[in-house]
Amino acid sequence: MRQIVVISGKGGTGKTSVTAALAAVARESAAPAGGARAGGTHPPALVLADCDVDASDLHLLLAPVVRERHDFHSGVLARIDAALCTRCGSCTAACRYGALDAPPRVAREMCEGCGACAHLCPEGAVALDERHCGEWYVSDTRFGPMVHAALGIGEENSGKLVSTVRTLAREIAEALGADTVLVDGSPGVGCPVIASLAGADTALLVTEPTVSALHDLERVHALTLHFGVRAAVLLNKADIHVGMARRIEAFCAEHALPLLGSLPHSPVFMGAQFAGLSVPEFAPHAEGALFREVWNSLRAMTPTATGD
Amino acid sequence: MKLAIASGKGGTGKTTVAVNLAALLAARGHHVALADCDVEEPNAHLFLPVEWKTREQCTLPVPRVNEALCLGAACRRCVDACRFKALAFMGDAVLDFPDLCHGCGLCALVCPTGALTYATRLVGEVRGGIARIRPAMGTNADRPDTAERDLVHTEAAPVLRFRDGVLRIGEAMATPLIKAVKDVPPPTMPQPGPVAQGEGVQGPCAFVIRDCPPGVACAAINAVHDADLLLLVAEPSPFGLHDLRLAVGLARHLRLPHAVVLNRAGMGVGMGSGLGCSGATPSATAAGGTPAGDPVRAWTEREGVPLLGVIPFSRAAAECGATGSLVHDAAPEVRAAYAALADALEKMAGNAAGPRRPWDGMGLSGLAGLATPGTAPRVADESGATTGGKERTCAR
């Protein structure tokens, strides 16, 4: 089984549109007759995992039908019993996250759940409650099963939620005999990105011809090297600036990064988004053909035998 | 005035708005500091001629076990106390895994023998500097080559103080670095020089502008949480609207005054009804879109979220941004939009009763009236939509 992760460093380069498009062309190639839909006799070509858990958008294109809904609990949250609290300030001094500047009030969004306050409180006024951080779902889509999640507003531990989503997607893929898990990652290079990247086979780095995207591509490429994940690049909105597109191409050549394709800055992406469709469904011929090539290249560079 | 520029979705134009607004306000003679809090992917420095002055390492204290003092299997208190699995007992010794450590310090607190001392883990680098802004900005072309020539060597040029953070590749915890970056004091020296004062400006104000990371999780929360005003940059697309709703949810949760800046306005006009097969796709409307072109504008009106700025989509501006130049002069309509946004912010900062809290006694309803001239101001009475209960919790 192979795990392919779509990330970008910079936000808004088109990760989610690309993920949905790849899922669509994968579905086509798995069921060429077009007769078998999700839930048919064919095993799904892939299982989708939306790991952009704090601002997930993939469901807007895939209209998932939620089959399972699970609460996500992770870590603990300090709670101070106001009746016992003497405002001595021990917890305020101990908390390294600024969550207890006004005890007995706990700033929920700052608390990391380390428990230092509970250890130090001379009155035993601090309780550590299990923390409900969000929900995750197993759903059916027209391209196959999808695992996705919603982090609660102001909650922490997005990395653990990403790991949960990925683990589940992998288990489902194994159970159903799907050979690929396709992961929609989040922007950045921090905790959730690391969680969505670690242990993956291939990372598809979606970029665009801007100085910001090039700068971020350099950093996210360094991250793939750090974690030993094979990387390839997809240049989106390639015609926004020809000179910058050349610089992205040069960067790829210099670092032996395969450039799997260049997509035009096309209203089709926006149109598909408004229609709630993937790009190959919305424009099967022009952009759809480009995505078929990208998908074939990705498959070729990620043989399933390498999955451990 | 602490202004946090954020968005749920990435790539909506946070950095573009932050650098252009900062440069414009500085060019108008205000004391401006810009903090790029998107430490995972810091990009604001690419748009300004920053003269770097300082570089400091940001580190996290992580445990180091002194085996001579450790009681080993008889104790295990630190291993049991650590909630992040950064300490484990293996064989006969406590092993530390500094990469997993959150730096809470509990292990040292529970250790009875003082066997736990601290090493440091490099989180990233905090860089500080200044950028000189052309006083005549908004009148000449802002091509980077002219900018370099005009800006850097002009002593009288308004100065913008700049700070950003660069997260070490492989580091998962961005929040300590964000905390180190976010509060930059604005330049203290008055700039009486060639200040192009607009009408109605009551002298220079101090602006701290934070370019925040995308999302609504801990990194974004730490960057925005004690701002005076949260400017949410949104783009007019179904993804843009969906993530804006999350961001507004966060702003209400944190009780932060907030307003929307619609970027690339007009980009998706007609898509909802024209290109998309509107009858056959209930999912587009289920996603919160409207059949008309601009789902974001319709939603902000319905929700009573003030729309403080509307920056039109401009291909020329997009090309400018692609090369790292400021976009004011790419298109007159873009320049006018930024000027209007700066006017609105000047008015708010100028109305400040005290030096630090322009929001006291103003509330969001006042802001709504300011932002939607011509229509009856809607009073946003959802919980958290007022400034009264604003939380001030962070140490920094």
Side-chain angles (χ1 to χ4, degrees):
Chain A
M1 198 193 30
R2 59 169 87 88
Q3 294 189 57
I4 298 173
V5 183
V6 182
I7 50 176
S8 69
K10 183 176 181 330
T13 58
K15 282 180 298 300
T16 301
S17 294
V18 166
T19 306
L22 293 177
V25 296
R27 183 68 203 166
E28 279 174 15
S29 55
R37 308 287 292 177
T41 50
H42 285 280
L46 46 70
V47 174
L48 285 152
D50 188 350
C51 287
D52 190 358
V53 296
D54 69 318
S56 61
D57 289 325
L58 192 55
H59 63 282
L60 299 177
L61 298 182
L62 299 188
V65 178
V66 175
R67 272 196 288 126
E68 296 173 28
R69 179 185 295 263
H70 300 269
D71 284 324
F72 174 67
H73 293 277
S74 181
V76 293
L77 183 69
R79 176 171 50 83
I80 301 180
D81 186 335
L84 296 178
C85 177
T86 59
R87 279 76 165 165
C88 69
S90 311
C91 56
T92 308
C95 182
R96 300 220 170 143
Y97 309 108
L100 294 165
D101 288 354
R105 224 189 59 78
V106 177
R108 184 184 170 102
E109 60 280 355
M110 293 290 151
C111 176
E112 294 253 340
C114 67
C117 48
H119 173 75
L120 280 178
C121 179
E123 308 297 327
V126 182
L128 298 173
D129 297 334
E130 192 184 30
R131 181 163 191 165
H132 180 256
C133 300
E135 289 185 327
W136 56 271
Y137 318 94
V138 181
S139 301
D140 283 324
T141 74
R142 56 192 185 278
F143 304 138
M146 167 159 120
V147 187
H148 51 128
L151 195 70
I153 284 180
E155 286 301 343
E156 310 244 342
N157 274 321
S158 55
K160 278 189 183 165
L161 185 51
V162 167
S163 300
T164 305
V165 166
R166 273 189 67 195
T167 305
L168 252 291
R170 195 192 161 101
E171 286 174 11
I172 290 170
E174 277 167 0
L176 296 179
D179 63 5
T180 305
V181 173
L182 184 61
V183 178
D184 186 12
S186 52
V189 294
C191 164
V193 181
I194 289 172
S196 54
L197 192 64
D201 297 298
T202 301
L204 180 63
L205 314 178
V206 183
T207 191
E208 62 186 25
T210 65
V211 282
S212 297
L214 175 58
H215 178 259
D216 296 353
L217 175 66
E218 291 169 15
R219 285 174 60 76
V220 83
H221 174 238
L223 191 72
T224 61
L225 293 177
H226 184 91
F227 285 100
V229 176
R230 198 183 303 132
V233 174
L234 178 62
L235 179 57
N236 196 5
K237 310 175 195 172
D239 49 352
I240 279 192
H241 196 282
V242 177
M244 282 309 302
R246 293 290 97 79
R247 281 182 63 189
I248 301 264
E249 286 162 10
F251 175 82
C252 292
E254 189 186 333
H255 293 85
L257 271 169
L259 181 60
L260 300 189
S262 292
L263 299 165
H265 182 49
S266 154
V268 159
F269 279 75
M270 191 67 111
Q273 211 182 101
F274 272 95
L277 294 172
S278 70
V279 170
E281 291 172 298
F282 191 77
H285 301 295
E287 281 79 4
L290 289 170
F291 276 113
R292 268 171 224 116
E293 281 172 29
V294 172
W295 179 241
N296 289 335
S297 312
L298 267 180
R299 282 168 58 100
M301 69 181 285
T302 320
T304 46
T306 61
D308 49 13
Chain B
M1 178 178 196
K2 281 187 264 182
L3 195 61
I5 300 186
S7 74
K9 186 177 182 321
T12 57
K14 286 179 296 298
T15 301
T16 306
V17 170
V19 294
N20 284 287
L21 203 51
L24 184 57
L25 288 169
R28 289 186 180 190
H30 298 293
H31 302 176
V32 178
L34 178 60
D36 187 352
C37 295
D38 188 358
V39 300
E40 296 181 41
E41 300 291 11
N43 288 332
H45 69 280
L46 300 171
F47 294 82
L48 295 166
V50 179
E51 301 166 35
W52 297 109
K53 305 279 188 193
T54 59
R55 282 169 193 269
E56 293 161 41
Q57 292 194 333
C58 173
T59 58
L60 193 70
V62 295
R64 176 178 288 163
V65 182
N66 180 345
E67 285 175 20
L69 295 175
C70 180
L71 300 177
C75 172
R76 289 183 57 111
R77 285 186 212 178
C78 58
V79 176
D80 294 339
C82 179
R83 293 184 171 270
F84 309 109
K85 302 190 175 72
L87 292 164
F89 201 78
M90 273 185 205
D92 199 25
V94 173
L95 295 182
D96 48 55
F97 295 93
D99 284 349
L100 297 176
C101 178
H102 285 220
C104 70
L106 181 57
C107 50
L109 290 174
V110 301
C111 179
T113 62
L116 278 160
T117 54
Y118 284 102
T120 56
R121 177 175 98 210
L122 180 64
V123 176
E125 191 181 48
V126 180
R127 308 184 294 186
I130 59 165
R132 292 183 205 278
I133 303 302
R134 217 153 22 92
M137 209 175 91
T139 54
N140 293 329
D142 263 318
R143 282 173 298 138
D145 50 348
T146 37
E148 296 277 346
R149 210 170 46 233
D150 290 357
L151 295 182
V152 182
H153 307 292
T154 312
E155 283 309 311
V159 170
L160 182 150
R161 187 172 291 188
F162 185 80
R163 183 147 70 183
D164 72 359
V166 185
L167 190 70
R168 173 177 62 85
I169 292 295
E171 171 62 55
M173 279 187 77
T175 47
L177 187 54
I178 293 170
K179 285 179 184 169
V181 169
K182 72 178 188 181
D183 287 319
V184 197
T188 46
M189 61 291 196
Q191 288 287 339
V195 171
Q197 291 237 336
E199 276 178 38
V201 179
Q202 304 143 349
C205 310
F207 288 96
V208 176
I209 297 178
R210 293 185 197 148
D211 184 11
C212 298
V216 292
C218 34
I221 291 169
N222 272 278
V224 304
H225 107 290
D226 58 350
D228 296 313
L229 173 65
L230 188 55
L231 275 190
L232 300 169
V233 182
E235 64 177 27
S237 69
F239 289 180
L241 174 62
H242 177 263
D243 296 345
L244 173 65
R245 294 166 72 155
L246 294 174
V248 168
L250 178 68
R252 287 176 177 163
H253 175 83
L254 296 175
R255 296 166 186 248
L256 282 177
H258 55 280
V260 172
V261 173
L262 181 60
N263 195 20
R264 303 184 196 127
M267 184 174 65
V269 163
M271 292 276 180
S273 53
L275 277 175
C277 15
S278 56
T281 54
S283 52
T285 38
T290 56
D294 195 336
V296 167
R297 209 186 291 234
W299 184 81
T300 52
E301 264 172 39
R302 208 163 53 237
E303 286 283 312
V305 179
L307 188 60
L308 200 61
V310 177
I311 299 163
F313 176 73
S314 150
R315 170 91 194 187
E319 285 172 17
C320 255
T323 56
S325 28
L326 300 175
V327 301
H328 291 293
D329 300 307
E333 68 273 23
V334 173
R335 183 170 62 213
Y338 275 104
L341 183 55
D343 289 346
L345 293 168
E346 270 176 351
K347 206 161 177 181
M348 287 177 201
N351 283 346
R356 299 302 320 150
R357 292 298 308 271
W359 290 99
D360 287 338
M362 191 163 172
L364 261 195
S365 53
L367 182 54
L370 216 170
T372 53
T375 58
R378 278 162 203 268
V379 178
D381 53 1
E382 289 93 338
S383 66
T386 60
T387 57
K390 185 164 168 267
E391 297 171 29
R392 288 204 167 260
T393 48
C394 186
R396 297 248 350 208

